[in-house]
Amino acid sequence: MSTADESPALLLLSQARQRFLTGRPLPADVPDETVAAWRRARFLGVRHDVRRAGSADEPSAGSALSAAARPVLERLAPALGARSALLLTDERPRVLWAAGDAPGGQAGRDLAEREVGHNSAALALRVRRRAEVHGPEHFLDAWQDVSAVSVPVFAPESGRPLGTITVTSELCAGEGPHPGAALAEAAAAAVEAELLARSRSAERTLLAAYARAARGQGGGQERAVVALDGRNRLVSEAAVRLVSPQVLESLERGARALVRSAAPVVSYDIALPEGAGCSAEFRPVREEGGGRLLGIVAVLEPVEAGTGVRTALRAVPRVVAGRHGGSSVPWLHAVRRATELARGNEPLLLTGERGSGKTTLARELLGATEPLVRDAADSPELDLPDAELTHGRPLLLRHAERLAQSDVAALNTLLDERPDVRLLATYTPGTPPGPCLQRFLDTLAARSVTLPALRERPEDIRELLPALAPRPAGGTPPLTWTLDALRALERHPWPGNLTELAHLVRTLAENRRAAGPVRRSELPDPVREGPAVRPLSPMEHAERTAILQALRRNGGNKARTATDLGIARATLYRKLREYRA
């Protein structure tokens, strides 16, 4: 099949490519992105006349993507036409698996642009959506009669691209999408579904290993145990009391490296930071039958001799495990710092987004002392007499960003005269502060702590849910959650932070009529479907809303939803993926 017979546009593009390769001026109507791709290939030193795609190290057949994708692709491969191929690539991208007949389709071939120039797999990974490359758009001579379409495959838990499903064929000259586009879209969706199912199975295996290790022998006192798989972290109460945030960070980095390593693991030991105050016994967690490494369980023991930091978090207030608590590194670090500063009698400023738990932490820091509370959100002019600030009870000042200028001036004067005044203030950044408020913030800058937003510590959500749920009525089981619902909660950005999460939990607890764990389908639309990371145009926002409403009407069934909307199922999958990308 020749380019000339099929498409005048491709014929002109082929002629332009020949002019580019021979150093002659290009016509003005050659697409800029195509010329840029050719120039990148030349800059990277790619030879256009190589006959085979670049070779790479032999890919790992045991990778999570390969294990999930191979059964799916083997079922779809018989649907290929003549001189077509179905490829699975990883994120490099290199070919992990191939079926059919097309250039560059051998397993282990490296399709990175630095090796072979412009191609659909590399393009799809870069733009994070379906991509097509036809004939002369390629840089290699060997691919001038080849059309290819690639669809990225995303990790269900993090949304990062893991690789692509690619369909290649003889040159296509039509105006519509590549004939293999629907097959590639369906295969990518099926592989992502399989990855999600395997991820849930892996989570259950890790949870079971953690529970066994935490119970120990004989079911006695809970042991200090941390279980990690590079994405999730389970920390027992005993481990929270024993280890510092630095130790948890080291464990998490080590576990992530072990789980993601394609090479055989020789040792499961992870180096702990100096002065960790504990020793660790590491146990691998594998798939049933001793298969793929899923994670690591660390059983921790205190080291009594020569350590002064064994219980680095012993002074952290009970809020860590309470209503607005958690055991994530950002949260523990902020609470520990606030605790250290609160030991003195000097002012303390807690900053953070709305709903991040500033007031609750402030009350915990004050302990049994009953503070004098003033809230600038209720009245910006508090008219505070000096006696209230300088004698007796400490002052808890909420929403300092809303103070009237006269009150800010009075506070600045007080801090100049009494730098040890017992003042604990909360501040929510927003509009730029005026000069008077900025002086107040500068004065307390050295004694301020910023609380992390909930989206910065999603691993705390599972810990927070039981504490945020209302106490169930007599005979009513407590609120529980499916893994799919938990994953949706962890991916939501929570602009209202803990306040927003608490409202959602309370509403579900009070209003739901269904029995059993809360399912993803019961969550509000923005939480259930996940965030659209890129800004949407008004038209796209309206289209996304219509799709979500149709999905809800059809109980989440995508085939019925596509029929209801009058679009192809592959188009529905593509739009859902684009709005999440």
Side-chain angles (χ1 to χ4, degrees), residues 219-526:
Q221 185 177 6
E222 183 189 53
R223 305 171 72 182
V225 170
V226 181
L228 315 102
D229 63 2
R231 302 182 308 272
N232 304 293
R233 183 172 67 202
L234 304 169
V235 186
S236 69
E237 290 290 337
V240 168
R241 294 190 296 270
L242 177 62
V243 300
S244 67
Q246 292 74 23
V247 172
L248 289 175
E249 286 178 352
S250 297
L251 291 172
E252 194 158 85
R253 285 196 302 269
R256 187 181 300 115
L258 288 171
V259 171
R260 292 182 178 177
S261 174
V265 178
V266 177
S267 172
Y268 300 101
D269 287 349
I270 298 171
L272 299 181
E274 185 177 353
C278 62
S279 62
E281 174 196 345
F282 295 99
R283 305 173 182 176
V285 180
R286 293 188 171 277
E287 289 177 331
E288 290 186 21
R292 182 170 57 95
L293 182 69
L294 301 177
I296 295 291
V297 170
V299 181
L300 308 171
E301 294 290 344
V303 176
E304 300 291 349
T307 175
V309 293
R310 176 189 159 204
T311 54
L313 299 178
R314 59 186 177 276
V316 172
R318 59 187 172 86
V319 71
V320 169
R323 182 174 175 80
H324 290 314
S327 57
S328 66
V329 170
W331 177 253
L332 293 180
H333 176 76
V335 174
R336 186 173 62 169
R337 175 63 176 158
T339 303
E340 292 170 353
L341 292 174
R343 291 198 186 105
N345 289 324
E346 298 176 79
L348 174 61
L349 178 67
L350 297 178
T351 71
E353 296 181 5
R354 62 186 176 92
S356 56
K358 299 184 292 294
T359 300
T360 300
L361 178 57
R363 290 185 179 278
E364 291 287 344
L365 293 171
L366 292 169
T369 306
E370 184 62 31
L372 181 69
V373 182
R374 292 291 184 267
D375 193 338
D378 296 336
S379 174
E381 296 187 8
L382 300 181
D383 191 23
L384 296 167
D386 289 348
E388 287 187 340
L389 293 175
T390 56
H391 300 289
R393 298 150 63 190
L395 172 68
L396 172 55
L397 175 60
R398 301 185 62 205
H399 298 109
E401 71 280 359
R402 301 193 186 186
L403 280 172
Q405 185 167 339
S406 58
D407 280 324
V408 179
L411 284 173
N412 284 334
T413 301
L414 178 70
L415 291 172
D416 289 340
E417 297 174 353
R418 294 284 307 278
D420 60 344
V421 66
R422 299 186 68 195
L423 168 66
L424 207 161
T426 69
Y427 173 75
T428 303
T431 57
C436 204
L437 180 56
Q438 186 61 59
R439 182 188 165 201
F440 172 77
L441 298 175
D442 291 343
T443 302
L444 297 184
R447 295 187 56 79
S448 67
V449 177
T450 301
L451 300 190
L454 187 56
R455 66 178 173 277
E456 296 170 356
R457 52 187 189 104
E459 60 268 37
D460 285 341
I461 288 178
R462 301 191 187 197
E463 245 178 286
L464 289 163
L465 291 173
L468 294 174
R471 186 180 300 276
T476 305
L479 205 62
T480 58
W481 310 78
T482 64
L483 286 173
D484 203 22
L486 289 171
R487 184 65 68 194
L489 294 173
E490 290 168 344
R491 294 187 64 181
H492 185 61
W494 299 110
N497 291 290
L498 293 155
T499 303
E500 182 184 358
L501 178 62
H503 176 73
L504 181 148
V505 173
R506 185 168 59 252
T507 301
L508 280 171
E510 294 173 354
N511 299 327
R512 75 186 299 254
R513 298 291 179 264
V518 176
R519 299 181 297 277
R520 186 180 186 132
S521 60
E522 299 179 66
L523 301 176
D525 285 350

Side-chain angles (χ1 to χ4, degrees), residues 179-209:
L183 177 63
E185 293 270 10
V191 172
E192 287 176 354
E194 181 65 21
L195 284 167
L196 178 59
R198 288 171 179 254
S199 173
R200 292 171 178 169
S201 175
E203 285 180 352
R204 289 192 293 269
T205 303
L206 184 71
L207 179 60

Side-chain angles (χ1 to χ4, degrees), residues 72-94:
V72 173
L73 300 180
E74 286 169 356
R75 291 195 300 269
L76 295 176
L80 290 170
R83 287 193 51 77
S84 295
L86 179 62
L87 313 178
L88 170 70
T89 78
D90 62 13
E91 75 280 4
R92 289 178 57 166
R94 62 183 173 179

Side-chain angles (χ1 to χ4, degrees), residues 31-114:
D32 292 341
E33 58 271 21
T34 302
V35 177
W38 293 341
R39 286 174 175 163
R40 281 198 306 274
R42 172 170 286 172
F43 175 80
L44 292 169
V46 178
R47 291 184 52 184
H48 66 88
D49 56 353
V50 296
R51 300 308 303 170
R52 299 178 64 197
S55 62
D57 298 334
E58 188 65 23
S60 171
S63 72
L65 177 61
S66 291
R70 286 177 67 96
V72 173
L73 300 180
E74 286 169 356
R75 291 195 300 269
L76 295 176
L80 290 170
R83 287 193 51 77
S84 295
L86 179 62
L87 313 178
L88 170 70
T89 78
D90 62 13
E91 75 280 4
R92 289 178 57 166
R94 62 183 173 179
V95 180
L96 301 179
W97 178 93
D101 175 27
Q106 299 88 353
R109 293 295 151 191
D110 194 340
L111 301 184
E113 280 203 33
R114 66 179 181 277

